[in-house]
Amino acid sequence: TVEYQKSVKEVLDKALKGSESSNFEFPLKTKDQRRVEVLLNATTRRDVAGNVVGVLGVGQDITARKQVEMEKARVAKELQTFIDTANAAIFGVDSKGFVNEWNNKVVDLTGYLAEDVLGIHLVNDFTSKTVVPEHQARVKQLFDDALQGRETSNFEFPMITKNGQLIEILINASTRRDIFGEVIGVLGVGQDITDRKRIEMEKTRVAQELQTFIDTANAPIFGIDANGMVNE
């Protein structure tokens, strides 16, 4: 194609001067006007005296491979967009535990921007300063397990946001694998359950208060269940 003509000329000119090229990729139009992707190796030809007498080119049709690569890139970009804009806090680490995903919802949840955490070790450099101390060992174990292929669902723990607010988090940690099944990291999906925990604690407090009132009331109080069995 026109935009590659100069590059192809440079490859051939260099080969004629003894500077060979390997794995040069460019698009080519066939006689019937089909576009094909070509992988070219340009080798200098020399006579017995070592003088350059020409160039030998070896080409390979890599159109199908390029289409697969483009489709993979499209899917990866689509997945990244989904992660970034999902209505859930999604983050990820690589096989060594370093943060490589941090979507917009995690920013809203924790107050930490992507540039604050991308590339740092999640456990050693982040949860060590944001998770309440008595829960740090359990959080570390959760990610260690996921990196070994043992996933965890509905794990709850308190953490401190960038602005110092204490929140309750529910997290699911899933093992990420490549096409060969090898572990390449962990994907975490978190949810702020602070309000739910407050409601649960308030219900527990009221229930305890009611039980204390019944137990200490200055009157005979008893209760039965739906089957008539005494339960108070």
Side-chain angles (χ1 to χ4, degrees):
T1 58
V2 175
E3 62 270 24
Y4 279 85
Q5 288 177 2
K6 182 179 179 181
S7 298
V8 172
K9 183 179 184 300
E10 288 177 355
V11 168
L12 298 176
D13 286 346
K14 285 181 179 179
L16 284 170
K17 294 177 181 179
S19 178
E20 301 178 346
S21 297
S22 299
N23 302 325
F24 177 74
E25 299 180 10
F26 65 96
L28 176 73
K29 278 192 176 181
T30 65
K31 187 176 181 179
D32 60 3
Q33 296 302 301
R34 288 184 300 110
R35 178 184 169 117
V36 294
E37 297 288 337
V38 176
L39 180 69
L40 175 67
N41 292 316
T43 305
T44 304
R45 302 184 73 175
R46 299 177 185 272
D47 60 20
V48 292
N51 299 312
V52 175
V53 296
V55 173
L56 184 67
V58 179
Q60 180 184 353
D61 184 352
I62 59 169
T63 306
R65 192 195 80 185
K66 293 291 285 187
Q67 289 173 342
V68 171
E69 290 175 354
M70 290 174 64
E71 179 62 14
K72 285 172 63 179
R74 185 194 65 78
V75 171
K77 184 177 180 180
E78 192 173 88
L79 178 60
Q80 189 63 54
T81 300
F82 168 77
I83 290 174
D84 290 341
T85 60
N87 192 30
I90 300 176
F91 62 93
V93 299
D94 62 20
S95 60
K96 302 296 184 182
F98 292 93
V99 179
N100 58 9
E101 299 280 1
W102 195 263
N103 80 345
N104 297 333
K105 206 66 178 179
V106 186
V107 176
D108 294 340
L109 185 64
T110 66
Y112 289 91
L113 302 175
E115 50 263 39
D116 295 332
V117 295
L118 287 176
I120 70 172
H121 196 277
L122 183 69
V123 173
N124 295 343
D125 302 323
F126 184 74
T127 63
S128 60
K129 67 180 181 181
T130 58
V131 174
V132 175
E134 57 267 31
H135 289 271
Q136 288 181 8
R138 293 174 61 215
V139 171
K140 180 180 185 301
Q141 189 63 52
L142 176 143
F143 288 104
D144 287 346
D145 285 347
L147 284 172
Q148 296 297 319
R150 299 185 294 273
E151 301 181 343
T152 301
S153 299
N154 301 326
F155 179 79
E156 300 179 8
F157 65 94
M159 71 170 289
I160 301 169
T161 65
K162 190 173 184 179
N163 65 9
Q165 180 184 1
L166 182 66
I167 60 176
E168 294 283 341
I169 301 294
L170 176 72
I171 191 172
N172 294 314
S174 302
T175 305
R176 302 181 79 173
R177 300 178 185 272
D178 61 20
I179 59 174
F180 304 106
E182 297 295 323
V183 174
I184 58 172
V186 174
L187 191 67
V189 180
Q191 179 183 353
D192 185 352
I193 58 169
T194 307
D195 290 340
R196 193 195 80 186
K197 294 291 286 186
R198 285 174 181 161
I199 292 172
E200 289 175 356
M201 291 174 64
E202 180 63 14
K203 286 171 65 177
T204 299
R205 185 193 66 77
V206 171
Q208 290 176 344
E209 193 174 88
L210 178 59
Q211 189 63 50
T212 299
F213 168 76
I214 291 173
D215 292 342
T216 60
N218 190 26
I221 298 175
F222 65 92
I224 59 174
D225 63 19
N227 296 316
M229 308 298 290
V230 176
N231 58 10
E232 294 285 355

